[in-house]
Amino acid sequence: MNVKLSDEQVAIIEHPLNYHARVMSVAGSGKTSTMVKRIRYLVEKQGIPPGSIQVLMFNRLARKQFADRLEAEGVQYRGAIHVNTFHSYAYSIYNILIQQGIMPPRDFWVGDREELHKKRIRLAVYEVQRNTNDQTLNPDDAEQAISLWKASMIPPERAGHRFNPLYAAVYSVYERMRLEANGATYDDMIIDIVNILQNNKSVRERLIPNIAFLLVDEYQDVNYVQQRLIELISARKCDIMVVGDDDQTIYEWRGARPEYIRKFHRIFNDRQCKDYTLTRSFRFGPIIAQCAHNVIHNNKERHPKRVVSHHISADGHVKIMTIFDETSSSSLDEFVTLIVSKVKETQNPQKVIILGRTWAQLMNVQGALLRHKVPHYLIGQIPFTQLYETERMLDYLTLCRHFQDTINENLIVALQAVLNFPRRYIPKVLIDDVPRLVKGASVNQAITSLMNHVQRSSQRNLLEDMYNTIEYINRQIYADKAISAYESIERLSESFGLIEYFRSFYGGGEASESRIVWLRAIADLAKQSQLDVPSFIDYVKYLDPQCGLEQSECIPITTIFRTKGLEYDYVFIPDCIDGFMPVRGGNVNPCYDKEGIVEEPEISAWEESERRLFYVGITRARKGVYISTVKGQHPTHSPRSTSSTVFPSPYIAEMNCEATTAIMSALQSIAAEQTSDSKELIKHYDKYGDIPLITQTLTDYYLPELGLEGIADDLRRKIGTIRSNSLKQKQSVKTHENWWDRFP
């Protein structure tokens, strides 16, 4: 289907030679089509040799889509135009360096061999733990820290960590192991290439082809080392066009910085730069576009741009579902029913997605989907039933069930797994020795034996509490009126102080919150199932989120971080409450250069980063956004942590959904009826008053495009009256007698 290009697209495609270009592109604005046509224009109209064009994409999916679009456009790119991801570009250059003897051969830890990299991180963590007796180190956090240091080109000897300095020690051990194994990840390849290219001019001139045009997509997501690579590739000799949107910078946690696209002119100052903006979204209609703009406009540090629908008549809506309690089963059931109705409408579960800021936000809806046997799958996370915490709770319930039984291999494994959940400071040596110590005993005798083998009274007391709790539940399981699984989970949680444990062990942020929400979710799953302990254990073990179906037949669930560049008919955002969206707290990069040699832009304020995530989430939708939240009004600038009350996300109020929907629907009616009657539109201003962001979009874009300058003038006059009356009211309020006039 041929879509008429917008004037904004045409200007970018015909951008003159010998100028750099920065393209700010809002969500769904057709940037891929524009870039493809730009390359075709360069080759066919400007005579640029295809082999002198280099394109850098953010990931493999984007690279494939771009290459396919080039072929569909009729541009013969294979073997000529270079289209790479940063990783594939680094890989190709690295192999050339090896062939020329500049670099020694490496064992590439990429693709199927990435597990070698992860294994070395786990071994490095274990070695540091063994040497320091610090059991709080986490392999996932270590991997994240190492990736951040490498993204900033910080070697182990200069690596600083703001929260736990031992992660720098893990980095040092990991690098020793990697070099001993002669391994190289993509991060290592880019670092090595940048170091060689910036220190050896002759190698740089020999390796980097004579590039006339460099195109970088998703430029807002580049990190420090990628930025240095771009600078070296361009060598201040070619035209550069960068495309991106600082409003969609959501990967700062892995080193991306929006400052590179904002300050592009200053960085690449060897020639003049022209700015372009793609404001028109082909993805959604004016209601979603305006709601998105209403939110993101509140960010102070951003390149100014509007979000406008290319098609005024395009369908699209935003619906808010308010509930009394974010854990209410009836409200969750209603939300699930709505999700299923949209699957029925589209006849394709892949056109619907459930999104959250964190996995904690998605926990309750997972439980509801499981209860209703709605097929779904998680992207980037293991299922709820396979979470570490779920497995530990099942271990406890299993020990409760078999408390009087002779211990077997499965019960030994369960006992070992729960001894330090929650943390009881039982030494790892003792836990490893459990099979020998408890051989032939019953479960209750095994726990008693362990109580006699620990050295501290505090450890003994904690084990005694564990014994008493399991014994109580065991007696109730076999009582005339058996205890339910829900009551057992509540008893275990209360006796072990799991909520307090999560907060003390994981801190007050996302890590603890996700586990607290998990506890509520599994308790609710048990409550709704109405099963006893033995039945619930079997029920959870055999729960299949996909219900035996292929992923293509199931509803995807994931975090917003994994949806960049993707779109769906319908987006569902559950539990949109303060604390989940936004996640409050400092937006601090834990990794830094102790010697200050690498100076990279500061990370954004957390308020700005969190608002971008919400913006990216709602702009994935083509037809509709459905958001569930709690009743009430968010108290602006009041952190959730100061009260136990749960508030709606502040972004819901910022969307101004009710007024936006009413006014944009009236606009669409005017467009459909081709009328110049402004009464319906003006009526809404009588109700909602002056809403500058919506008014500007109407008077500057939509109404002039429809040839309705008369309505635009009516609207301006109406706004003038509203503002004049508002000013008079303010002045009248200020007019009062002097206090001294009250005295005789």
Side-chain angles (χ1 to χ4, degrees):
M1 181 177 67
N2 290 323
V3 178
K4 186 177 182 297
L5 295 171
S6 68
D7 293 341
E8 293 173 334
Q9 288 177 304
V10 171
I12 295 165
I13 292 166
E14 297 180 356
H15 168 72
L17 298 179
N18 300 315
Y19 288 86
H20 293 321
R22 178 178 64 177
V23 180
M24 289 290 195
S25 171
V26 305
S29 58
K31 67 182 178 68
T32 302
S33 299
T34 306
M35 290 187 292
V36 166
K37 292 182 183 296
R38 168 64 179 169
I39 288 178
R40 182 174 183 176
Y41 179 84
L42 287 173
V43 174
E44 297 182 358
K45 301 295 184 181
Q46 297 291 347
I48 301 297
S52 66
I53 297 174
Q54 174 69 60
V55 182
L56 289 176
M57 312 297 291
F58 191 65
N59 56 38
R60 284 180 294 177
L61 177 61
R63 189 206 69 80
K64 183 181 184 306
Q65 290 175 341
F66 192 84
D68 292 344
R69 294 284 283 276
L70 277 174
E71 288 196 350
E73 188 70 21
V75 180
Q76 299 300 316
Y77 93 95
R78 294 195 185 280
I81 298 171
H82 307 286
V83 182
N84 296 97
T85 63
F86 280 96
H87 286 166
S88 69
Y89 182 84
Y91 185 80
S92 63
I93 296 294
Y94 209 89
N95 276 302
I96 294 173
L97 291 171
I98 292 173
Q99 291 168 10
Q100 295 186 0
I102 299 170
M103 288 293 297
R106 295 287 193 193
D107 182 9
F108 293 130
W109 292 351
V110 299
D112 294 339
R113 298 180 62 76
E114 187 181 6
E115 179 56 31
L116 295 172
H117 154 69
K118 293 181 178 295
K119 178 182 178 182
R120 294 318 190 285
I121 288 179
R122 291 194 297 269
L123 290 172
V125 167
Y126 180 71
E127 181 172 319
V128 173
Q129 285 179 330
R130 190 175 65 246
N131 293 336
T132 63
N133 202 29
D134 186 328
Q135 302 300 311
T136 64
L137 295 172
N138 181 287
D140 291 337
D141 292 341
E143 183 176 12
Q144 173 67 17
I146 291 170
S147 179
L148 280 171
W149 279 312
K150 293 195 174 189
S152 300
M153 298 186 70
I154 300 171
E157 60 271 18
R158 301 204 324 257
H161 198 281
R162 290 183 170 87
F163 305 129
N164 191 338
L166 288 179
Y167 281 117
V170 173
Y171 182 22
S172 182
V173 173
Y174 164 80
E175 280 295 277
R176 186 199 75 216
M177 292 179 173
R178 181 183 70 82
L179 293 173
E180 287 173 353
N182 201 33
T185 65
Y186 283 124
D187 288 342
D188 301 311
M189 293 182 214
I190 296 178
I191 291 173
D192 288 344
I193 289 168
V194 167
N195 282 326
I196 288 172
L197 295 183
Q198 68 185 4
N199 294 321
N200 195 319
K201 183 179 179 181
S202 63
V203 172
R204 182 171 70 241
E205 291 177 347
R206 190 166 70 248
L207 283 180
I208 304 300
N210 187 22
I211 297 174
F213 180 75
L214 174 62
L215 174 62
V216 184
D217 187 27
E218 301 288 2
Y219 186 57
Q220 79 280 349
D221 289 328
V222 300
N223 56 35
Y224 177 84
V225 71
Q226 289 169 334
Q227 173 64 26
R228 287 294 299 127
L229 183 62
I230 292 167
E231 294 170 12
L232 291 165
I233 292 172
S234 66
R236 305 179 76 84
K237 293 180 181 178
C238 68
D239 289 355
I240 307 171
M241 176 177 283
V242 296
V243 184
D245 180 7
D246 58 337
D247 290 334
Q248 297 186 67
T249 305
I250 61 172
Y251 298 125
E252 287 188 279
W253 53 273
R254 66 185 187 200
R257 295 291 182 270
E259 287 305 296
Y260 292 128
I261 193 168
R262 291 176 187 157
K263 297 180 179 179
F264 173 75
H265 306 68
R266 300 183 198 174
I267 299 169
F268 296 97
N269 56 9
D270 56 303
R271 61 193 69 186
Q272 288 185 309
C273 175
K274 291 183 177 292
D275 273 334
Y276 300 95
T277 307
L278 290 173
T279 62
R280 304 307 186 108
S281 179
F282 296 85
R283 181 176 297 162
F284 38 68
I287 293 175
I288 296 176
Q290 190 63 45
C291 283
H293 181 68
N294 292 345
V295 173
I296 201 63
H297 180 80
N298 288 280
N299 269 5
K300 302 297 185 290
E301 297 295 328
R302 64 184 291 265
H303 184 82
K305 67 187 85 66
R306 300 197 68 83
V307 186
V308 183
S309 175
H310 187 73
H311 304 291
I312 295 175
S313 60
D315 190 17
H317 53 265
V318 179
K319 304 289 186 184
I320 310 297
M321 178 187 293
T322 54
I323 58 179
F324 179 73
D325 181 352
E326 79 270 23
T327 61
S328 169
S329 297
S330 59
S331 299
L332 284 169
D333 293 345
E334 187 179 347
F335 200 61
V336 169
T337 300
L338 187 58
I339 293 169
V340 173
S341 73
K342 292 306 171 185
V343 174
K344 288 182 177 179
E345 176 189 316
T346 61
Q347 292 293 299
N348 184 352
Q350 296 291 299
K351 291 186 177 181
V352 175
I353 194 164
I354 303 171
L355 292 180
R357 159 67 174 83
T358 66
W359 287 108
Q361 184 180 351
L362 298 166
M363 202 76 74
N364 288 323
V365 75
Q366 285 182 64
L369 292 169
L370 286 168
R371 287 201 315 273
H372 290 279
K373 298 182 179 178
V374 177
H376 62 280
Y377 69 99
L378 277 57
I379 304 172
Q381 175 70 304
I382 59 176
F384 173 82
T385 54
Q386 297 174 21
L387 290 173
Y388 170 82
E389 290 78 13
T390 302
E391 292 180 342
R392 297 298 74 78
M393 185 60 75
L394 292 181
D395 287 336
Y396 269 122
L397 293 176
T398 300
L399 293 171
C400 292
R401 178 184 180 183
H402 297 286
F403 188 65
Q404 305 291 342
D405 299 342
T406 301
I407 203 161
N408 57 29
E409 185 176 341
N410 291 335
L411 292 173
I412 288 175
V413 171
L415 180 59
Q416 287 178 298
V418 301
L419 282 174
N420 276 326
F421 180 83
R423 196 170 187 183
R424 298 183 177 93
Y425 303 94
I426 309 301
K428 188 176 184 300
V429 175
L430 180 58
I431 295 175
D432 291 341
D433 203 27
V434 164
R436 183 186 66 81
L437 294 174
V438 305
K439 187 176 181 180
S442 60
V443 172
N444 62 333
Q445 291 170 341
I447 299 175
T448 303
S449 174
L450 291 172
M451 290 165 58
N452 295 327
H453 278 84
V454 294
Q455 297 178 350
R456 300 177 186 172
S457 59
S458 59
Q459 297 167 331
R460 192 174 302 108
N461 292 338
L462 290 169
L463 284 174
E464 186 175 353
D465 289 342
M466 173 181 163
Y467 179 99
N468 292 335
T469 302
I470 295 175
E471 180 191 36
Y472 171 82
I473 295 173
N474 173 260
R475 282 191 280 108
Q476 298 304 313
I477 288 174
Y478 297 103
D480 291 338
K481 186 181 178 181
I483 190 172
S484 69
Y486 167 70
E487 292 169 323
S488 300
I489 290 172
E490 289 287 286
R491 182 80 180 202
L492 288 164
S493 173
E494 183 179 346
S495 297
F496 299 155
L498 288 182
I499 291 178
E500 293 77 11
Y501 164 68
F502 291 148
R503 285 180 175 148
S504 63
F505 187 78
Y506 294 102
E510 180 183 330
S512 61
E513 186 68 22
S514 65
R515 288 164 174 84
I516 293 169
V517 176
W518 160 82
L519 186 58
R520 294 174 187 154
I522 194 167
D524 188 59
L525 184 65
K527 185 177 183 180
Q528 297 302 315
S529 72
Q530 299 183 341
L531 296 173
D532 58 22
V533 170
S535 301
F536 183 73
I537 294 171
D538 293 336
Y539 170 67
V540 174
K541 282 183 177 179
Y542 294 106
L543 270 179
D544 176 14
Q546 294 183 208
C547 300
L549 301 176
E550 297 293 326
Q551 284 190 356
S552 60
E553 301 175 272
C554 302
I555 300 169
I557 303 178
T558 193
T559 60
I560 295 167
F561 294 107
R562 292 180 172 271
T563 59
K564 280 288 294 295
L566 303 178
E567 56 185 65
Y568 303 84
D569 281 0
Y570 297 105
V571 168
F572 287 83
I573 301 178
D575 285 350
C576 191
I577 58 177
D578 192 7
F580 284 163
M581 298 186 92
V583 171
R584 291 184 175 270
N587 199 23
V588 179
N589 180 1
C591 301
Y592 66 98
D593 187 341
K594 290 192 296 186
E595 297 181 15
I597 294 174
V598 172
E599 296 182 4
E600 55 184 330
E602 289 293 325
I603 199 166
S604 302
W606 70 265
E607 298 94 333
E608 305 256 321
S609 296
E610 293 294 318
R611 190 174 282 110
R612 289 186 210 127
L613 278 164
F614 184 81
Y615 169 79
V616 169
I618 64 176
T619 55
R620 300 309 93 194
R622 289 186 286 256
K623 295 181 179 180
V625 181
Y626 295 88
I627 301 172
S628 75
T629 189
V630 293
K631 289 182 179 179
Q633 185 70 28
H634 185 275
T636 307
H637 307 305
S638 175
R640 183 183 178 190
S641 58
T642 62
S643 170
S644 59
T645 304
V646 178
F647 294 112
S649 166
Y651 309 138
I652 291 175
E654 290 179 5
M655 279 195 298
N656 210 343
C657 187
E658 182 182 336
T660 297
T661 299
I663 293 171
M664 291 302 167
S665 295
L667 171 72
Q668 290 181 311
S669 296
I670 292 172
E673 296 168 8
Q674 297 183 334
T675 177
S676 58
D677 188 353
S678 63
K679 292 180 181 177
E680 187 68 21
L681 197 60
I682 298 298
K683 180 182 73 174
H684 294 301
Y685 277 87
D686 289 331
K687 179 177 180 180
Y688 298 109
D690 179 20
I691 309 170
L693 290 178
I694 300 177
T695 303
Q696 290 167 11
T697 305
L698 290 174
T699 57
D700 294 351
Y701 293 90
Y702 294 140
L703 291 173
E705 285 174 19
L706 292 171
L708 299 174
E709 288 288 359
I711 295 182
D713 291 338
D714 291 345
L715 189 54
R716 292 186 186 100
R717 282 192 290 271
K718 179 66 178 178
I719 297 304
T721 301
I722 293 173
R723 291 174 182 172
S724 176
N725 291 337
S726 176
L727 181 61
K728 289 177 182 178
Q729 289 176 359
K730 290 179 181 178
Q731 290 173 340
S732 66
V733 169
K734 290 180 181 178
T735 303
H736 56 79
E737 64 177 3
N738 297 318
W739 64 265
W740 53 83
D741 291 335
R742 291 186 283 111
F743 291 84

